[in-house]
Amino acid sequence: MADKSDVTLPLSISAGIHIGVIIILALGIDFSHKPEPMQQVSAPAVKAVMVDQQKVANQVEKLKQEKRDAERREQERQAELERKAQEAKQAREREQAQIKQLEQERKQQEIETQKANEATKLAQVKQQQEKEKAVKAEADRKLKEQERKVAEDAAQKAAEKRKVEEAAAAKAESDRKLKEAEAKAKAEKAKADADAKAKAEAKAKADAKAKADAEAKARAQQEQEMADALAAEQAALSQTMNKQMQSEVGKYQAMIKSTIQRNLVVDESMRGKTCTVSVRLANDGFVISSQTKGGDPNVCRAAKAAILKAGKLPVSPDPAVYNLMKEINLIVEPTF
């Protein structure tokens, strides 16, 4: 019994010491001084100590190797992150160049469209002027035709009257004095008829002119009413489109804020604080740039990180709406 306790006690002490050494090495503690010599133990205890020291050395080497492996993996991870960041930068630069090219093409297209619209308007004005000239020329032709017909009728009647009078004068020369009063009466009547006819012709001319003036005035009034109606319709359409576009912009701004809020990492120190952020977007929602304009530093850092994490933000496929929101200012306020 005495021999067994003499062996067990040193073994227990050795095991406890080596377990403590393993814990210290695992925590990274290094002791440069040599430990004080232990009291001499029996042969079985010395053998146990040597075995435990080999296990400790193996465990320490394993821990060191795991640390080296972890450092190597971290270096590889950092290198991969740098490579991806460089690729993202190059992609943004290519996309910015493409956006610039598309913007130039869009402006050129707008210029060509504006020129085409102006040419169309000029052609329409010219066509309207030609139409008005044709209408006026037709009215003038009809008036002259009417005047010519009246003159021909008057000339024919006068010729017939002269023939009758000449025949009557030749036949009644012998009794001229007897018929003189009758001839005078007929002449006065003819004069009265001619005056009446002249008055009728003058009235017909005046009526025709008044009718033409009334038609021209009616056409001008109709054209003015059509122009006023078109202008009112275009103004109403423009107002409706502006309201719709503003509504679309508000909707997508709310979606962008919601996206940023989902990626926002908050803490209690941010409660009640805000940050104003300016974001520039590509037409597919890619975040070209983001800058803070003022606010709590912690909230601003969290907002920029949330935007970077999102990568893309919601944008409208409508080019007109996109032009209104490609550069927007947002107020980011953490929610709890």
Side-chain angles (χ1 to χ4, degrees), residues 293-304:
K293 298 293 186 179
D296 182 73
N298 292 334
V299 177
C300 288
R301 282 193 295 271
K304 289 204 67 174

Side-chain angles (χ1 to χ4, degrees), residues 187-250:
E188 289 177 352
K189 185 177 182 298
K191 184 178 182 300
D193 290 342
D195 291 342
K197 183 178 286 188
K199 289 181 180 179
E201 291 174 356
K203 185 176 183 301
K205 289 181 180 179
D207 291 343
K209 186 176 183 303
K211 184 178 180 181
D213 292 342
E215 289 177 353
K217 184 177 180 181
R219 284 197 303 272
Q221 184 176 0
Q222 185 178 8
E223 291 173 357
Q224 183 62 40
E225 289 176 353
M226 290 176 64
D228 293 342
L230 180 60
E233 184 179 354
Q234 289 178 347
L237 180 60
S238 177
Q239 185 176 7
T240 301
M241 290 180 66
N242 286 335
K243 287 183 179 179
Q244 291 177 350
M245 289 174 65
Q246 291 299 329
S247 176
E248 283 291 304
V249 170

Side-chain angles (χ1 to χ4, degrees), residues 30-237:
D30 185 19
F31 295 97
S32 60
H33 62 278
K34 295 181 179 180
E36 295 179 359
M38 297 178 57
Q39 294 181 356
Q40 187 175 0
V41 296
S42 61
V46 172
K47 184 177 182 180
V49 171
M50 291 177 66
V51 172
D52 289 342
Q53 286 178 347
Q54 184 62 40
K55 289 182 179 180
V56 169
N58 292 338
Q59 185 66 24
V60 169
E61 183 61 28
K62 181 179 179 181
L63 292 174
K64 288 182 179 180
Q65 183 61 39
E66 289 176 352
K67 183 177 180 182
R68 286 194 296 270
D69 292 342
E71 290 175 350
R72 178 181 55 78
R73 287 193 296 271
E74 178 62 20
Q75 290 175 355
E76 291 176 351
R77 187 182 70 84
Q78 292 293 335
E80 180 65 15
L81 289 176
E82 291 177 358
R83 184 186 65 79
K84 289 183 178 180
Q86 184 64 24
E87 290 178 352
K89 180 180 178 182
Q90 293 174 353
R92 287 197 298 272
E93 292 175 350
R94 289 194 298 270
E95 186 170 1
Q96 288 174 356
Q98 185 178 7
I99 290 171
K100 185 177 180 181
Q101 178 66 25
L102 291 174
E103 182 66 16
Q104 292 176 350
E105 293 176 357
R106 183 189 64 78
K107 289 182 178 179
Q108 182 63 30
Q109 184 65 30
E110 287 180 351
I111 292 172
E112 293 176 357
T113 302
Q114 184 177 4
K115 288 181 179 179
N117 292 337
E118 291 175 354
T120 301
K121 289 181 180 178
L122 184 61
Q124 290 175 347
V125 171
K126 187 175 180 180
Q127 185 179 6
Q128 183 64 28
Q129 291 175 348
E130 293 295 332
K131 184 178 179 181
E132 291 175 355
K133 287 181 181 179
V135 171
K136 186 176 183 301
E138 181 64 18
D140 292 340
R141 186 192 66 77
K142 289 182 179 180
L143 180 60
K144 288 181 180 179
E145 181 67 20
Q146 186 178 5
E147 292 175 351
R148 185 188 63 77
K149 188 176 181 180
V150 170
E152 287 177 355
D153 291 341
Q156 184 178 0
K157 289 181 180 179
E160 292 175 354
K161 183 179 179 180
R162 284 194 303 271
K163 289 179 181 180
V164 171
E165 290 175 349
E166 288 173 355
K171 184 180 179 181
E173 180 62 26
S174 60
D175 56 347
R176 180 182 56 82
K177 290 182 180 180
L178 181 65
K179 300 284 178 119
E180 187 177 19
E182 183 180 353
K184 185 178 180 180
K186 288 182 179 180
E188 289 177 352
K189 185 177 182 298
K191 184 178 182 300
D193 290 342
D195 291 342
K197 183 178 286 188
K199 289 181 180 179
E201 291 174 356
K203 185 176 183 301
K205 289 181 180 179
D207 291 343
K209 186 176 183 303
K211 184 178 180 181
D213 292 342
E215 289 177 353
K217 184 177 180 181
R219 284 197 303 272
Q221 184 176 0
Q222 185 178 8
E223 291 173 357
Q224 183 62 40
E225 289 176 353
M226 290 176 64
D228 293 342
L230 180 60
E233 184 179 354
Q234 289 178 347
L237 180 60

Side-chain angles (χ1 to χ4, degrees), residues 310-331:
K312 283 188 176 182
L313 297 174
V315 294
S316 173
D318 188 342
V321 178
Y322 164 72
N323 285 334
L324 294 176
M325 60 177 299
K326 63 183 179 182
E327 292 185 4
I328 58 173
N329 292 326
L330 301 172
I331 298 178

Side-chain angles (χ1 to χ4, degrees), residues 251-262:
K251 181 179 74 175
Y252 278 95
Q253 283 184 343
M255 293 169 64
I256 289 172
K257 279 189 175 181
S258 177
T259 301
I260 294 174
Q261 289 288 355
R262 286 197 302 270

Side-chain angles (χ1 to χ4, degrees), residues 264-309:
L264 193 67
V265 178
V266 300
D267 57 51
E268 190 62 30
S269 66
M270 300 179 187
R271 185 181 293 275
K273 298 177 181 178
T274 62
C275 177
T276 301
V277 183
S278 176
V279 182
R280 185 180 178 193
L281 301 173
N283 56 4
D284 63 347
F286 183 80
V287 178
I288 297 174
S289 65
S290 62
Q291 295 181 346
T292 57
K293 298 293 186 179
D296 182 73
N298 292 334
V299 177
C300 288
R301 282 193 295 271
K304 289 204 67 174
I307 294 171
L308 181 63
K309 182 179 179 181

